[in-house]
Amino acid sequence: MTSKKLHVRTGDTVKVISGNHNGVTGRILRTIPAKGQVVVQDVNMRKHHRRPSQQDPEGGILTFEAPIRVSNVMLVCPHCDEPTRVNRRHDQDGTIERICKRCDNAIPTAG
Ligand SMILES: [Zn+2]
């Protein structure tokens, strides 16, 4: 078992901090913990040319986000609006809260 926990979750806003999309901010659509990758909205767009088929008689070009390495993104705190690192704190009911190291506010987990 080598399933790693990622530092970001689906629905988080992240900033890309290296690679081709350095500086771009987007929302996480999907996480792939087994590969250490995330899919970020509007980041690393790829085009896929589709032939016409029965389901899709027109065919055409499909655009989609390709995964990027999770180490290339930083969580953006919704309170201070800056990329940040987080502390983890266990809540009374056992859930883990993520605390922004900059402003000390809890970062909510979307959806
Ligand atoms: Zn903050």
Side-chain angles (χ1 to χ4, degrees):
M1 280 285 287
T2 54
S3 91
K4 285 189 201 162
K5 281 261 174 91
L6 302 181
H7 69 284
V8 291
R9 299 179 193 168
T10 304
D12 282 346
T13 299
V14 296
K15 185 165 192 175
V16 182
I17 51 168
S18 71
N20 290 337
H21 304 274
N22 196 359
V24 179
T25 302
R27 209 166 54 85
I28 297 216
L29 301 177
R30 199 154 55 89
T31 61
I32 312 166
K35 289 183 171 179
Q37 291 178 322
V38 293
V39 177
V40 184
Q41 193 164 34
D42 293 332
V43 171
N44 208 18
M45 297 302 293
R46 297 290 163 84
K47 284 195 170 82
H48 188 75
H49 295 262
R50 285 159 59 102
R51 283 188 196 175
S53 65
Q54 278 187 346
Q55 292 90 346
D56 182 12
E58 299 286 316
I61 299 170
L62 183 78
T63 54
F64 65 99
E65 287 91 350
I68 60 173
R69 292 185 60 81
V70 69
S71 58
N72 287 352
V73 304
M74 271 187 90
L75 184 61
V76 173
C77 170
H79 303 287
C80 54
D81 210 25
E82 293 283 344
T84 186
R85 294 181 180 279
V86 294
N87 288 315
R88 282 168 195 280
R89 188 169 69 191
H90 284 267
D91 216 344
Q92 288 93 327
D93 59 4
T95 55
I96 296 171
E97 274 192 319
R98 298 177 300 172
I99 310 297
C100 173
K101 284 192 180 180
R102 286 172 179 266
C103 67
D104 226 29
N105 282 308
I107 297 174
T109 301

